[in-house]
Amino acid sequence: MNGPALRPGDIAHQSMEGVYVALSYAVSYVGSVTTLELLHRRTGSRGWYNWSLLIGSAISMGSIAIWGMHFIGNRAIILDYGTENHQLIYNSKFTALSFFLPIMVLLSAYLFIGADEEVSKVRVSIGGTTAGLAVVLMHYLGQFGISNYTSVYKVPFVIGSVIVAIVASNVALLIFFVLRSQWAGTWWKRVCCSFVLAGAVSGMHWLATVGTSYRLRNAALPNNTLDRKQTVIVVGTLCLFTCTCLLAYAIAIGAKARNMQSKIRKVTLSTVIFDPDGHLMVSTSGSLPTEVITDTLNVFLDQEFSREHPVFLWFYRASRSWVSVKDFMSGMQQHLRTIDLSKIGTADQSNLNVIFRELLCVAAKKLSEQLRQPVESLGVLYDEVLHTRHTRGRGSIPTGPSDVENLRKVANGRGQTLFVYQQVSKEEAARLQSHGYRFAGVKLAIDVVARSLQLPRDELMIHLQNMRDSSGPESILEPGVHIGFFAVRANIDGGFEVLVQSRQPNLIPSVQIPVHALADGMKLALQSFHGMTLSKVLEELGTFSTGSEETFLDDMRASFWALTKAYPDSFWMDAVFSSIPISMACRSGDDDLEHSTAQMFVFRSVVPIHQRELSDGIKLSPFEFFTTQQRTFSTSRDHEVFARQAHTEFSGLSERYLRVPKPAFLLPKLARFVRLSRRPTTAEKTLVENPFANIMISQAVDVHSAKTSMDAHELDSMRTTGAAVVVREVEEPTWVEEHFQLLMDRTRPT
């Protein structure tokens, strides 16, 4: 339909083309969802990773969601009944300015809001208001760039469009930033927020458009103008590019998810890192940094892989003394590249155990490289092995502790996960955030982490809480004199277990007597109770008096009663007292002392195997594992022995596989003479021919058959004496093994 001829100064008739109205909203939505996805991936305010995401989100919102939506939306406006030469034409300079200006405003808004998990609502409101004003600013700057018409505005519509832009932007950003820590993996919530954010842009635009009329100008058009076809091509190209990037991103995320699903069917090593506030470090997808150890665990196992397995015990010690093995990890990695793990047999279990150790160390090395930190800062190994539960359909693999065959069939759908954990400083947390990690509350992150590891949520929560509690100061005795319970119980599956503290499982139940050192009279008082049961000792303490030592006896009586109150199990009353002090590692109160010890007097007991109910303060720990824990205190001298054993085991591999070839600058005859003049020794030949030559497998003490020279005074060697500063090649028995032998000697038939 043609109307009267339009003359300069006349208001043009206008109508809308519905297809472009819908297309403009779609363009705004694409830009909005890209923006929120990029903002969601930010983990902090430092590092090129976070800055690239911040700039990318500002560009996506400013150029696609706002600028692209505006010009596609204006394409829907039909002026003067569709007369071709009377449609909107834009000044290219103002069009370019309207492109960059909102990007800069949005960049400042997102930068002001920040990327912390605990977002200030005031800061988000200010940032949301700024983002809304950026939408308004771009719209009216773009309108000012129309070359052939003058825009005529109705004030109520202008005010309404500003309110819509600010309110909708605030709602979308407030919901997104305040709750985003809960959204790792929940893409549909970001999709919903994107609808609101795109509605803020489109709502403002169309409300302003309804209140805008166009008066034809009389002036000649400038040369640098863009017609609506050219504008649509430019905007469409930008949108197509963004969609392509989103598609590539979705494919990459899908591949990452599939990779994680394959990892959980293998033996993996994951790192658990807490900041000083107890927040858990996760990747932007909500999972823990993880490396595969092996997918052929059944090749290496001669028994169930648990915290009682010799390789696990070795790695437990290695994680508390990374400096002992870090120099050999590159050699281990080179050695593993020469081995086809799928063709390894089980003829030589000692060699398989060494290879398994190498796999564990190499996984730790890769994990430290993934975190961009030295391996000695990786943390310590958690004392449990968790079994993943990959399910097919509704069925799941059973999880009974005796189901050894299923535990070994890792490649058939079920894997195992080991954890190393630590607590980092605020500075280190900020560095990790700059590399693309984020810290979230454990309760907020647990659902996504549990799904990614295929672990039960409640079970994983308990383990994470244990790791968080253990990541603080070391659980170790204070200097002084202690009274404790040492009790063992036979395990129905074989071996023995030790009763330990629930919250400090590397320590036996104990209390400290308020004395710094024992005088001769105090020692005599303790010796008088030797061989008595706890009930008898408490009875004697009610009447016993030694004059000047009466205060000490009162303190000891109070300590004994405190011990029975803290651990109110009836079987303690039959425990037998030993007056021979045990020298144990303790917290050093003097920085000049390299090592420090505490004295422990114990009541020994063998708990009946039918005793199942224990008080809340104690639990059972495998004997071999508890013994290993006694060697891993920070003040233990056993670290030196472990380092020498590790050097004996793996230095040959490093020398062989990391040997740097010497330059061949000698003449052939001279080179032959040098080789002949230095004939390799027998040991060197053996090392070259067999990389496992000279390997000294660390040996566990057989507590069932170990011989001892203890006399009637129970071990003079256990008396408190000054430790000689010597380098030991073989580890001495721990106090646990010695006292266990005493228990077995007493219970063994005559």
Side-chain angles (χ1 to χ4, degrees):
M1 176 181 175
N2 294 327
L6 187 65
R7 294 175 296 179
D10 292 344
I11 299 294
H13 174 274
Q14 66 183 80
S15 59
M16 299 292 177
E17 194 169 344
V19 174
Y20 285 99
V21 174
L23 181 60
S24 67
Y25 182 83
V27 168
S28 183
Y29 175 76
V30 170
S32 297
V33 75
T34 306
T35 298
L36 294 187
E37 189 62 42
L38 293 175
L39 289 175
H40 169 73
R41 299 273 158 192
R42 287 189 71 208
T43 58
S45 55
R46 294 169 50 180
W48 67 267
Y49 171 84
N50 289 305
W51 274 101
S52 63
L53 291 177
L54 179 67
I55 296 172
S57 62
I59 293 175
S60 176
M61 187 67 190
S63 65
I64 305 300
I66 300 176
W67 187 84
M69 181 274 153
H70 174 86
F71 286 100
I72 293 293
N74 275 6
R75 176 62 179 82
I77 300 174
I78 306 299
L79 298 178
D80 194 21
Y81 303 99
T83 304
E84 186 63 30
N85 59 349
H86 283 175
Q87 303 308 308
L88 295 177
I89 299 177
Y90 302 94
N91 183 295
S92 59
K93 292 181 180 179
F94 278 100
T95 300
L97 180 62
S98 66
F99 178 90
F100 290 105
L101 190 59
I103 292 176
M104 301 304 297
V105 176
L106 288 168
L107 183 61
S108 62
Y110 297 152
L111 188 61
F112 180 79
I113 293 174
D116 298 332
E117 292 296 326
E118 297 180 2
V119 180
S120 168
K121 293 182 179 180
V122 175
R123 294 170 68 91
V124 174
S125 297
I126 296 175
T129 302
T130 305
L133 292 176
V135 177
V136 174
L137 180 64
M138 186 275 133
H139 176 84
Y140 287 105
L141 186 61
Q143 290 294 105
F144 188 76
I146 297 176
S147 300
N148 55 341
Y149 284 93
T150 300
S151 300
V152 181
Y153 305 111
K154 297 178 182 178
V155 175
F157 287 91
V158 174
I159 296 175
S161 65
V162 174
I163 294 174
V164 168
I166 292 176
V167 171
S169 295
N170 269 286
V171 170
L173 293 181
L174 190 63
I175 294 174
F176 171 76
F177 277 103
V178 172
L179 301 180
R180 80 180 178 117
S181 59
Q182 305 179 33
W183 296 2
T186 52
W187 56 269
W188 61 270
K189 294 183 179 180
R190 293 194 292 278
V191 167
C192 294
C193 248
S194 300
F195 278 115
V196 178
L197 193 57
V201 180
S202 297
M204 177 272 154
H205 176 88
W206 293 113
L207 184 59
T209 298
V210 171
T212 302
S213 301
Y214 296 93
R215 178 180 287 113
L216 187 63
R217 290 185 177 180
N218 191 22
L221 296 178
N223 294 325
N224 52 349
T225 58
L226 296 172
D227 61 24
R228 60 180 185 171
K229 291 182 180 180
Q230 294 172 327
T231 304
V232 169
I233 291 174
V234 171
V235 176
T237 302
L238 284 173
C239 293
L240 180 62
F241 176 76
T242 303
C243 290
T244 302
C245 292
L246 277 176
L247 181 61
Y249 176 77
I251 294 174
I253 290 298
K256 187 175 181 180
R258 289 189 295 273
N259 183 43
M260 192 64 190
Q261 288 294 322
S262 66
K263 281 184 178 181
I264 64 172
R265 306 176 198 180
K266 305 176 182 180
V267 186
T268 58
L269 180 66
S270 298
T271 181
V272 175
I273 298 178
F274 300 99
D275 67 5
D277 297 324
H279 293 159
L280 176 66
M281 189 196 79
V282 294
S283 66
T284 53
S285 61
S287 59
L288 297 177
T290 301
E291 285 292 338
V292 173
I293 299 172
T294 178
D295 58 355
T296 54
L297 181 62
N298 57 311
V299 170
F300 301 98
L301 287 183
D302 58 343
Q303 66 186 74
E304 177 187 344
F305 184 59
S306 65
R307 58 179 177 170
E308 300 175 66
H309 195 281
V311 174
F312 181 89
L313 297 177
W314 182 89
F315 193 52
Y316 183 86
R317 296 188 64 179
S319 70
R320 284 154 176 81
S321 183
W322 288 120
V323 67
S324 301
V325 295
K326 70 171 186 176
D327 293 336
F328 311 122
M329 288 183 175
S330 296
M332 295 176 183
Q333 194 169 18
Q334 293 295 331
H335 175 232
L336 290 175
R337 289 173 180 169
T338 66
I339 299 175
D340 186 353
L341 297 179
S342 63
K343 297 181 179 179
I344 289 182
T346 57
D348 190 347
Q349 189 62 43
S350 62
N351 282 3
L352 293 179
N353 283 348
V354 173
I355 294 175
F356 197 5
R357 295 179 188 186
E358 291 181 328
L359 290 169
L360 289 165
C361 290
V362 170
K365 179 176 181 291
K366 292 180 179 179
L367 202 55
S368 67
E369 293 171 350
Q370 184 181 148
L371 298 173
R372 303 181 187 182
Q373 64 181 15
V375 71
E376 57 265 33
S377 302
L378 190 58
V380 296
L381 184 66
Y382 183 52
D383 56 9
E384 293 283 354
V385 180
L386 275 63
H387 303 287
T388 60
R389 298 182 181 180
H390 178 71
T391 59
R392 294 181 180 179
R394 295 186 179 182
S396 62
I397 297 176
T399 59
S402 62
D403 193 5
V404 179
E405 289 305 314
N406 279 330
L407 294 178
R408 295 176 62 157
K409 293 178 181 178
V410 178
N412 293 333
R414 187 164 186 227
Q416 293 175 292
T417 297
L418 282 69
F419 296 95
V420 287
Y421 67 94
Q422 64 172 315
Q423 178 178 306
V424 297
S425 63
K426 289 185 177 180
E427 293 74 16
E428 179 64 12
R431 186 193 69 81
L432 290 168
Q433 286 179 317
S434 68
H435 291 307
Y437 296 99
R438 59 189 297 190
F439 287 86
V442 176
K443 292 183 179 179
L444 298 179
I446 185 65
D447 289 325
V448 179
V449 173
R451 284 197 300 270
S452 66
L453 294 176
Q454 291 294 300
L455 293 170
R457 179 189 185 279
D458 295 338
E459 178 186 341
L460 181 60
M461 173 65 80
I462 293 174
H463 290 294
L464 288 177
Q465 289 174 344
N466 290 340
M467 283 184 260
R468 183 174 60 185
D469 295 340
S470 303
S471 62
E474 181 183 21
S475 297
I476 191 171
L477 293 176
E478 298 294 335
V481 181
H482 300 258
I483 302 292
F485 288 143
F486 176 68
V488 298
R489 191 188 74 174
N491 193 325
I492 58 176
D493 294 327
F496 287 84
E497 296 172 304
V498 182
L499 270 67
V500 298
Q501 297 184 35
S502 297
R503 294 188 176 183
Q504 296 177 305
N506 59 340
L507 301 176
I508 60 174
S510 64
V511 295
Q512 186 171 4
I513 301 177
V515 295
H516 296 292
L518 292 176
D520 291 339
M522 298 176 183
K523 294 179 181 178
L524 290 175
L526 288 171
Q527 289 175 5
S528 66
F529 299 128
H530 184 80
M532 294 184 182
T533 62
L534 176 59
S535 59
K536 184 64 176 177
V537 170
L538 292 175
E539 180 182 341
E540 291 292 323
L541 280 173
T543 59
F544 197 94
S545 176
T546 59
S548 61
E549 306 302 333
E550 188 170 356
T551 302
F552 168 69
L553 291 175
D554 289 338
D555 291 336
M556 189 164 63
R557 183 187 303 111
S559 299
F560 285 174
W561 280 113
L563 193 61
T564 59
K565 184 177 181 180
Y567 309 100
D569 300 270
S570 59
F571 52 79
W572 294 127
M573 289 300 173
D574 297 325
V576 178
F577 182 70
S578 172
S579 64
I580 307 301
I582 305 170
S583 296
M584 301 183 69
C586 73
R587 200 179 313 280
S588 176
D590 190 343
D591 293 337
D592 294 333
L593 296 177
E594 182 181 359
H595 301 288
S596 183
T597 59
Q599 285 187 315
M600 173 78 78
F601 296 89
V602 298
F603 287 90
R604 295 193 299 260
S605 175
V606 177
V607 180
I609 194 171
H610 57 76
Q611 179 71 39
R612 293 297 169 187
E613 294 184 2
L614 302 173
S615 60
D616 294 336
I618 56 176
K619 65 179 183 179
L620 293 165
S621 178
F623 181 89
E624 292 82 0
F625 179 70
F626 183 71
T627 302
T628 300
Q629 286 182 308
Q630 305 312 299
R631 301 186 186 277
T632 58
F633 288 107
S634 59
T635 58
S636 174
R637 289 189 180 276
D638 286 327
H639 291 300
E640 302 169 2
V641 182
F642 179 79
R644 295 182 67 84
Q645 291 177 346
H647 181 273
T648 303
E649 282 185 302
F650 299 109
S651 60
L653 293 175
S654 296
E655 291 175 3
R656 177 176 181 182
Y657 290 99
L658 296 181
R659 184 178 298 158
V660 180
K662 298 180 180 180
F665 58 86
L666 296 176
L667 295 175
K669 291 184 179 181
L670 181 59
R672 190 180 304 111
F673 172 77
V674 172
R675 286 196 298 271
L676 292 175
S677 65
R678 186 189 178 278
R679 296 182 180 275
T681 64
T682 303
E684 289 174 333
K685 288 181 178 179
T686 305
L687 180 62
V688 172
E689 295 171 359
N690 180 9
F692 296 106
N694 287 334
I695 289 179
M696 179 176 68
I697 304 297
S698 59
Q699 310 212 352
V701 175
D702 183 359
V703 298
H704 304 287
S705 60
K707 300 292 182 181
T708 178
S709 59
M710 302 177 190
D711 55 14
H713 297 287
E714 285 191 324
L715 285 179
D716 291 336
S717 62
M718 293 173 62
R719 298 183 185 274
T720 305
T721 57
V725 181
V726 295
V727 178
R728 292 180 282 117
E729 294 290 347
V730 180
E731 291 175 329
E732 298 175 353
T734 65
W735 70 268
V736 182
E737 294 159 334
E738 291 171 337
H739 274 270
F740 178 84
Q741 190 63 47
L742 289 174
L743 276 174
M744 295 299 101
D745 289 343
R746 290 183 183 276
T747 57
R748 190 174 291 119
T750 305

